């Protein structure tokens, strides 16, 4: 029997039978795996807290057939407070679904694991712009799964003398003035947005969270990344963000999504 100890984050928890839970875990050592948490729904279960959505824990996993079984767990951070904040919960649900839908089973991605854990931590903080943090996550996520957009030079000719640049999702990034004249579906992009993208790609998300970014730049970045994700990532699930937008609209709040 294979026994493995690894850190993991719960991407999905589905009830199975009366008291059991099937977890989709994103782990450091195994990447994405399915694991059965036997009896995790019982009130006195030692697996209860580490079987909740977003939980970040140390897991002891035993391989049983095609699935793992959680034999022991020690919680590192529950991120339970996220469930009390509709904005944080919506964004956290969105990014965990993004990771779940875009990673293969048993394929490790340690940079993405750290990014996810750090981003969930930032969602629990009261002094951060959660919308901007989500945009930063999306950009770094694209980098870590192999679809990093070109932002520091023209992706057509390679020049760093961009003049008045545009952004083209089909070309994979920034185009200079000359190359943009030969391309369709160009998007206008503020030079400040371009510099922000370069900054995000060059720093970890904890450092990025300290930047003060205007609502307009966050909005423009979000518009570009939404199109980029739709082209390069299959089945992007925006339901949680759409629900958040609906709630904010009903409150008469303009969030610029």
């Amino acid at each position: 029997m294979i026994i493995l100890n690894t850190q993991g984050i719960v991407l999905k928890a589905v009830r199975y039978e009366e008291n059991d839970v099937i977890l989709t875990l994103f782990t450091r050592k195994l990447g994405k795996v399915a694991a059965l948490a036997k009896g995790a729904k019982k009130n006195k279960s030692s697996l209860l807290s580490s079987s909740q959505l977003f939980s970040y824990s140390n897991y002891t996993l035993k391989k049983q057939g095609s699935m793992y079984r959680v034999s022991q767990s020690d919680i590192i951070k529950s991120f339970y407070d996220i469930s009390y904040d509709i904005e944080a919960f919506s964004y956290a649900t969105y990014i965990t679904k993004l990771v779940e839908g875009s990673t293969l089973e048993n394929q490790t991605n340690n940079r993405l694991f750290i990014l996810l854990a750090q981003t969930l931590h930032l969602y629990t903080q009261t002094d951060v712009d959660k919308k901007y943090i989500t945009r930063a996550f999306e950009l770094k996520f694209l980098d870590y799964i192999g679809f990093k957009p070109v932002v520091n030079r023209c992706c057509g000719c390679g020049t760093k003398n961009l003049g008045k640049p545009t952004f083209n999702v089909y070309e994979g990034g920034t185009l200079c003035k000359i190359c943009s004249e030969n391309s369709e579906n160009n998007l206008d992009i503020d030079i400040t947005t371009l510099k922000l993208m370069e900054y995000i790609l060059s720093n970890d998300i904890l450092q990025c969270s300290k930047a003060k970014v205007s609502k307009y730049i966050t909005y423009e970045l979000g518009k570009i990344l939404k199109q980029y994700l739709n082209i390069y990532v299959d089945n992007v699930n925006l339901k949680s963000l759409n629900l958040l937008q609906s709630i904010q609209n009903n409150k008469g709040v303009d969030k610029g999504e």
Side-chain angles (χ1 to χ4, degrees):
M1 179 182 291
I2 299 174
I3 301 176
L4 183 76
N5 295 306
T6 182
Q7 292 182 1
I9 297 170
V10 178
L11 302 179
K12 182 163 62 173
V14 178
R15 193 162 194 151
Y16 177 70
E17 296 185 344
E18 186 176 357
N19 293 307
D20 304 342
V21 181
I22 296 177
L23 304 175
T24 301
L25 299 174
F26 189 50
T27 70
R28 274 188 183 270
K29 294 182 179 179
L30 294 170
K32 185 175 69 175
V33 297
L36 176 65
K38 196 78 174 170
K41 282 296 182 181
K42 293 180 180 179
N43 289 333
K44 294 183 179 181
S45 172
S46 61
L47 303 179
L48 180 62
S49 59
S50 60
S51 298
Q52 305 296 318
L53 187 62
F54 312 135
S55 291
Y56 175 27
S57 307
N58 283 309
Y59 295 93
T60 300
L61 303 177
K62 292 183 179 181
K63 186 71 178 290
Q64 294 185 329
S66 61
M67 185 180 287
Y68 290 88
R69 176 173 174 174
V70 181
S71 63
Q72 185 178 338
S73 63
D74 297 296
I75 199 154
I76 298 170
K77 182 71 176 177
S78 71
F79 297 122
Y80 191 73
D81 289 349
I82 288 176
S83 62
Y84 292 107
D85 181 336
I86 185 63
E87 183 184 28
F89 183 80
S90 297
Y91 287 137
T93 300
Y94 166 65
I95 66 169
T96 51
K97 287 185 180 296
L98 203 57
V99 171
E100 181 194 356
S102 305
T103 53
L104 300 175
E105 291 193 7
N106 300 301
Q107 186 176 82
T108 59
N109 191 329
N110 202 48
R111 291 196 302 169
L112 183 56
F113 180 88
I114 294 170
L115 174 65
L116 179 61
Q118 290 178 335
T119 306
L120 291 173
H121 164 72
L122 288 170
Y123 286 153
T124 66
Q125 306 303 298
T126 58
D127 58 344
V128 299
D129 182 341
K130 296 179 178 65
K131 183 184 292 185
Y132 159 62
I133 291 301
T134 305
R135 300 291 86 89
F137 176 92
E138 289 172 330
L139 183 55
K140 297 184 78 63
F141 166 80
L142 284 165
D143 180 11
Y144 295 167
I145 65 169
F147 295 108
K148 178 181 179 179
V150 177
V151 297
N152 62 346
R153 57 181 172 81
C154 175
C155 58
C157 67
T159 182
K160 292 190 175 183
N161 185 17
L162 297 173
K164 186 178 181 182
T166 57
F167 195 92
N168 191 300
V169 296
Y170 299 96
E171 297 293 337
T174 312
L175 292 175
C176 68
K177 189 175 186 301
I178 295 174
C179 288
S180 65
E181 293 173 355
N182 299 316
S183 298
E184 298 180 349
N185 304 304
N186 296 323
L187 300 171
D188 292 334
I189 185 168
D190 191 289
I191 192 66
T192 306
T193 305
L194 203 56
K195 292 295 183 183
L196 176 64
M197 294 174 77
E198 189 173 356
Y199 174 78
I200 291 170
L201 290 168
S202 301
N203 293 277
D204 70 46
I205 201 161
L206 297 179
Q207 180 64 36
C208 293
S209 70
K210 299 174 183 178
K212 302 300 181 183
V213 181
S214 72
K215 289 183 178 180
Y216 172 76
I217 297 300
T218 301
Y219 168 75
E220 184 173 76
L221 180 59
K223 184 173 65 173
I224 288 170
L225 288 174
K226 183 177 181 180
Q227 291 195 31
Y228 204 95
L229 285 161
N230 281 329
I231 294 298
Y232 293 99
V233 179
D234 292 334
N235 302 315
V236 177
N237 192 319
L238 298 173
K239 288 183 179 179
S240 58
L241 297 189
N242 291 337
L243 175 61
L244 175 61
Q245 181 62 56
S246 177
I247 292 170
Q248 290 171 340
N249 287 342
N250 288 337
K251 289 182 178 180
V253 179
D254 180 12
K255 291 290 184 180
E257 282 286 11

